[in-house]
Amino acid sequence: MTTVHTEPSTERIPGRAWTVRIVGHGRTSASVTCSTAACRMPARSDDLAALRAFAARHAAAHAKAATVRPNAWCHCGSQRCGAHPDTKTHCAGAVLLILRHDPVMRRVWSVEEVCETCAPLIPNATVLARAERPRRTPDRPTTQAPTAPARPVVAGGFSSPAAPGADGAGPVRRSRRSSQRSQPRRSGQGR
């Protein structure tokens, strides 16, 4: 019998990228290519508007089918951050899935797994998804420790001390400092 390991791997893996491109053939026709060889592309056509619409839908389909992997390296960083050469940074943060498309050129769509540090530096990039943080599951069931009676809460998140006799316990213990302050100082005693 074979068992399947369902927990996500913590080993870093290369960030993925898909590129959909319109390639011109002379002045009258063009075709669409995809970096994934298994994708079926339409035939060469002279209807550039239809090819652009297909390319945009195809890139969106890659983005929709992709699950952002939390242990992926930044694809931008693996390319020596060539997408933002004027701003140098160190790759860090959560993994994001972005779509890059220059509205002026209108010929290339890229869907990439990048880090949250590089994403805002890449021109014409739109964040599509963020990797889910891995859920920590305990290796063994934990038992709950008995809890102490609730104390009144004071603003700022600190618990207030219990009033004497409020919970049936003995007198409230005071710190040394407060007891030293209440006693008169003796001459010659320094701090």
Side-chain angles (χ1 to χ4, degrees), residues 61 67-68 73 135 155 173 189:
T67 301
V68 188
W73 284 107
R135 294 184 184 136
R173 185 175 168 188
Q189 185 179 12

Side-chain angles (χ1 to χ4, degrees), residues 54-143:
F54 174 84
R57 285 192 314 270
H58 189 74
H62 274 296
K64 186 176 180 180
T67 301
V68 188
R69 303 167 305 168
N71 60 333
W73 284 107
C74 176
H75 182 264
C76 179
S78 68
Q79 303 297 311
R80 298 181 189 247
C81 295
H84 54 89
D86 299 332
T87 309
K88 296 295 178 192
T89 186
H90 294 287
C91 294
V95 181
L96 306 175
L97 188 69
I98 63 163
L99 170 67
R100 286 193 317 165
H101 176 67
D102 187 347
V104 174
M105 295 300 291
R106 302 184 333 166
R107 290 186 176 207
V108 179
W109 292 258
S110 295
V111 178
E112 304 171 4
E113 287 178 318
V114 299
C115 71
E116 67 183 346
T117 303
C118 287
L121 302 175
I122 299 172
N124 305 309
T126 304
V127 175
L128 303 174
R130 174 183 288 272
E132 289 186 27
R133 296 186 189 262
R135 294 184 184 136
R136 292 188 178 198
T137 56
D139 292 339
R140 54 188 135 87
T142 57
T143 57

Side-chain angles (χ1 to χ4, degrees), residues 10-49:
T10 56
E11 184 178 321
R12 300 294 283 200
I13 52 179
R16 297 172 295 178
W18 298 268
T19 303
V20 180
R21 184 182 313 268
I22 295 177
V23 179
H25 301 286
R27 293 178 183 224
T28 58
S29 67
S31 62
V32 179
T33 63
C34 180
S35 59
T36 304
C39 292
R40 291 181 21 189
M41 298 291 113
R44 182 187 292 193
S45 173
D46 60 351
D47 187 357
L48 193 56

